[in-house]
Amino acid sequence: MEENLFETETVIELSHLEKRFGENEVLKDINLTVKRGEVISVIGSSGSGKSTMLRCINLLEIPTGGKIYFEGKDIEDKDVKLTDYRTKVGMVFQQFNLFNNMTALDNCVRPQTVVLGRPRDEAEAIARGFIEKVGMSAYVNAKPAQLSGGQKQRIAIARALSMNPDVILFDEPTSALDPEMVGEVLDVMKNLASSGYTMIVVTHEMGFAREVSDRVIFMDGGYIVEEGAPEKIFSNPEQERTKEFLSRVL
């Protein structure tokens, strides 16, 4: 009984979320519920608000209006610590954001020791496990300058996993990569999805969105225009704007 409850538990809920930069309204009345273990792909043109929505979820941008709930709790509640919340909601960036002066291993260890207060030996064991999971064990002592773009992104994913997040946000994780490196990162993400991680992925990779997602969200002009199962969105979209977008990218 408890297990079923757990499987359908809402992890994140966005209620009437808005974000303005000056006069520019980037997010308009965003409502979204994310269930535990769900993989959601967010698609749409550049400038549609996809990355801003992710950055608001992680509070890298502060919403102008609306509410964000994490496991049923308003994250603006005085009892919710921002650092605690951020450790629960991991982020993988387009540009990797690794520390260039640290080895791959230390990039994955340092956030654990500084933010979570884990002892070095425990943090290192956890980091090595996730570095192995993303297929990068041979590169634990390499610095970012010695790694390809795809390898850097895999270390960035291992770093996010090392914090044991409840949700992982991916902000266009393959868009800065050479085409031949995209596959290696998508393979890691597919493995994570099949392992039951809760993931929200802003992506231009339509094949990934179609194959791996439980749900696809199409954004345009700061709104969620349409959402549904991949088969519905890609094969039988209801909204004209969704049809136009897909006709251009597929």
Side-chain angles (χ1 to χ4, degrees):
M1 178 88 175
E2 272 185 18
E3 201 173 5
N4 288 340
L5 258 172
F6 181 78
E7 285 173 4
T8 58
E9 180 192 337
T10 297
V11 185
I12 287 177
E13 182 183 353
L14 310 182
S15 177
H16 305 292
L17 196 71
E18 296 176 0
K19 178 63 183 175
R20 283 187 204 86
F21 295 100
E23 295 296 301
N24 185 15
E25 197 175 10
V26 181
L27 295 180
K28 306 166 187 175
D29 198 31
I30 299 289
N31 296 285
L32 177 65
T33 301
V34 183
K35 302 288 188 188
R36 193 176 296 282
E38 191 172 27
V39 178
I40 295 176
S41 289
V42 186
I43 63 172
S45 305
S46 294
S48 60
K50 309 182 302 296
S51 291
T52 301
M53 181 177 77
L54 274 203
R55 292 175 70 82
C56 282
I57 291 173
N58 202 31
L59 294 184
L60 291 171
E61 300 289 354
I62 303 303
T64 315
K67 292 285 186 187
I68 301 173
Y69 298 94
F70 179 73
E71 295 181 342
K73 196 166 216 177
D74 182 347
I75 63 168
E76 291 180 340
D77 190 299
K78 63 181 187 306
D79 295 338
V80 177
K81 283 189 184 161
L82 179 57
T83 49
D84 290 350
Y85 172 67
R86 282 224 180 103
T87 63
K88 302 281 191 188
V89 182
M91 185 105 168
V92 175
F93 299 89
Q94 187 175 336
Q95 297 291 350
F96 328 126
N97 289 21
L98 296 175
F99 294 108
N100 289 323
N101 61 335
M102 292 185 193
T103 64
L105 181 62
D106 281 338
N107 264 284
C108 297
V109 167
R110 188 159 172 77
Q112 298 181 64
T113 57
V114 171
V115 180
L116 300 180
R118 282 181 182 149
R120 167 85 199 190
D121 55 349
E122 182 189 343
E124 193 169 307
I126 289 167
R128 285 181 185 278
F130 285 117
I131 289 169
E132 183 178 352
K133 189 177 179 75
V134 300
M136 288 291 292
S137 289
Y139 299 91
V140 285
N141 295 315
K143 289 191 173 170
Q146 299 167 295
L147 302 175
S148 70
Q151 290 170 333
K152 286 180 200 171
Q153 194 58 291
R154 284 191 278 161
I155 291 298
I157 292 170
R159 176 182 60 187
L161 293 171
S162 294
M163 301 295 282
N164 299 116
D166 288 346
V167 181
I168 310 176
L169 311 176
F170 293 85
D171 188 9
E172 299 188 18
T174 59
S175 62
L177 302 180
D178 292 334
E180 67 268 25
M181 293 172 189
V182 169
E184 66 189 59
V185 173
L186 291 180
D187 284 345
V188 168
M189 292 170 65
K190 287 174 189 174
N191 287 338
L192 295 181
S194 63
S195 301
Y197 282 93
T198 308
M199 298 162 55
I200 307 175
V201 184
V202 169
T203 185
H204 294 294
E205 300 293 335
M206 296 301 139
F208 173 88
R210 187 168 201 157
E211 180 188 342
V212 179
S213 311
D214 298 299
R215 196 161 27 126
V216 175
I217 287 167
F218 171 65
M219 289 184 71
D220 185 60
Y223 291 101
I224 291 178
V225 174
E226 189 164 359
E227 63 178 290
E231 199 48 45
K232 173 187 173 293
I233 297 296
F234 286 105
S235 302
N236 194 23
E238 292 174 6
Q239 303 298 324
E240 274 312 309
R241 188 65 196 89
T242 316
K243 291 174 189 173
E244 277 171 34
F245 172 78
L246 291 172
S247 72
R248 283 207 316 275
V249 299
L250 292 179

